[in-house]
Amino acid sequence: MPNTLNPLELIARRWQPSAAFVRRAALATVVMAVIIVVTGGAVRLTQSGLGCSTWPKCTPDSLTPTAAMGINGIIEFSNRMLTDVLCVVVGVFIIAARARHPRRRGLTRLAWGQFWLVMSNAVIGGITVLSGLNPYIVGAHFLAATALLTVAVLSWKRASEGDEEPRDLVARPVRQLAWLLVAATGALTVIGTVVTGAGPHAGDAHKVHRIPVNWQEITQLHVDFVYIVVGLTAALWFTLRAVKAPAAPRRMVGELFACLALQGVIGYVQYFMGLPEIVIGFHMLGSTLVWICALRLALSLRDRGPLPAGPEEPAEKSEAAQPVAAGSR
């Protein structure tokens, strides 16, 4: 075997992670992506967006917050430090995906995709501070975090399935309905970002520029899209049962329903209580869970076979390897 200076190649020669370890590493990236979204929201809701006055340092003269900056500086700096934890988690997944045999280039690319999204969003976060919390940059910062969550969910799914050509588990119109649901959920997330950018929680105690739209109208549009997403979810729930789809997607559409119901309750509570910060924080957490459920549901409607077995490992069965009723084809 030729010599190489690639550290990942050297690790792969000496360490063979199990399929379960790779799956857990992928799941850890999903968890960290959710945490980053929620803690980023906490920075804004506690008016700590400018707790560190510059970037990449916390102040022009200090890398870390000073006593004079108070709790806001600690909150903002702590959120920055969480990015380091996220980098470690993503790094473990990159190493595990690369070291796993047989080598799966698609999974490794997804892992590296997460790394570059983390780096890109760190820069966007810095621009957010340097721009004085420009609401458009803040929105881009959140959407980039959502993109990271998306790739993390895709990685988690790919770490649990094989590399065969995708096999449809339901008819094409059903899959199209599922992806329409994903698109509507994505639009709901984007509109929610605009609601945030136009709303009262700017991220700092001083006056910060807001997106110049009517907050009541954009909030109503957000609610309208909630009804669209709920309607599409209901349609998919009935459709999956009508075509006798496999158990996994039927279970996942129920999970999505539960998340939407909880998110709806939280949304109305925060609206009628005057947007309390803690409730908004739970609403942000709920938005990540809804997005995860929608993605997993759409991805569950195809099967790529069992995971390729590593050295001296028995082949695993595909999670979706269930008979499909003739009527669903």
Side-chain angles (χ1 to χ4, degrees):
M1 187 176 292
N3 292 327
T4 178
L5 296 178
N6 185 339
L8 294 179
E9 178 68 25
L10 294 174
I11 293 173
R13 293 181 187 180
R14 292 164 174 78
W15 178 50
Q16 300 298 318
S18 66
F21 183 90
V22 177
R23 281 196 298 269
R24 287 193 293 268
L27 176 58
T29 66
V30 176
V31 173
M32 278 305 304
V34 171
I35 290 174
I36 284 294
V37 170
V38 174
T39 57
V43 169
R44 177 174 59 84
L45 295 170
T46 57
Q47 298 185 340
S48 302
L50 295 177
C52 288
S53 60
T54 189
W55 184 86
K57 292 183 176 181
C58 196
T59 72
D61 302 317
S62 175
L63 179 64
T64 59
T66 63
M69 301 171 71
I71 187 64
N72 296 117
I74 294 174
I75 292 173
E76 164 63 5
F77 186 75
S78 298
N79 186 60
R80 292 186 183 187
M81 291 300 97
L82 268 179
T83 302
D84 296 334
V85 179
L86 176 60
C87 286
V88 171
V89 172
V90 171
V92 170
F93 178 49
I94 291 172
I95 294 171
R98 175 61 185 86
R100 172 71 181 168
H101 283 287
R103 185 176 180 182
R104 304 181 63 194
R105 295 183 183 276
L107 187 61
T108 305
R109 291 191 188 101
L110 285 171
W112 277 108
Q114 290 190 55
F115 173 79
W116 291 116
L117 279 170
V118 172
M119 294 298 101
S120 300
N121 208 19
V123 174
I124 296 173
I127 296 173
T128 299
V129 173
L130 297 176
S131 68
L133 302 183
N134 180 291
Y136 300 102
I137 307 298
V138 173
H141 193 36
F142 173 78
L143 293 177
T146 303
L148 172 64
L149 177 60
T150 302
V151 178
V153 172
L154 292 174
S155 301
W156 183 28
K157 174 64 175 176
R158 292 293 289 120
S160 305
E161 63 185 4
D163 292 318
E164 298 175 5
E165 285 296 315
R167 178 176 65 89
D168 297 337
L169 299 178
V170 293
R172 183 179 180 183
V174 181
R175 289 186 292 108
Q176 290 175 332
L177 177 60
W179 284 108
L180 179 61
L181 171 59
V182 171
T185 306
L188 177 65
T189 301
V190 173
I191 296 170
T193 305
V194 178
V195 171
T196 298
H201 294 288
D204 190 73
H206 301 91
K207 186 175 181 179
V208 175
H209 175 65
R210 312 305 291 143
I211 296 177
V213 297
N214 185 294
W215 188 76
Q216 294 289 344
E217 291 180 358
I218 195 66
T219 300
Q220 183 59 55
L221 180 62
H222 184 62
V223 173
D224 293 341
F225 263 84
V226 169
Y227 292 141
I228 291 172
V229 170
V230 171
L232 289 171
T233 304
L236 190 57
W237 188 88
F238 284 110
T239 301
L240 291 176
R241 276 152 181 75
V243 301
K244 295 182 173 59
R250 286 188 282 122
R251 182 185 70 250
M252 289 179 187
V253 75
E255 293 171 355
L256 177 56
F257 251 133
C259 285
L260 285 170
L262 181 60
Q263 185 74 331
V265 170
I266 295 173
Y268 277 109
V269 168
Q270 72 172 5
Y271 181 79
F272 288 110
M273 290 185 64
L275 305 178
E277 288 81 359
I278 185 66
V279 181
I280 295 176
F282 279 112
H283 195 57
M284 293 188 69
L285 173 61
S287 72
T288 64
L289 298 180
V290 168
W291 183 237
I292 291 171
C293 287
L295 286 173
R296 292 187 68 218
L297 174 57
L299 293 170
S300 71
L301 298 179
R302 56 100 171 100
D303 178 37
R304 301 194 66 163
L307 278 170
E312 301 179 359
E313 286 183 354
E316 296 190 13
K317 292 184 179 181
S318 170
E319 293 182 0
Q322 299 184 29
V324 183
S328 67
R329 285 278 181 186

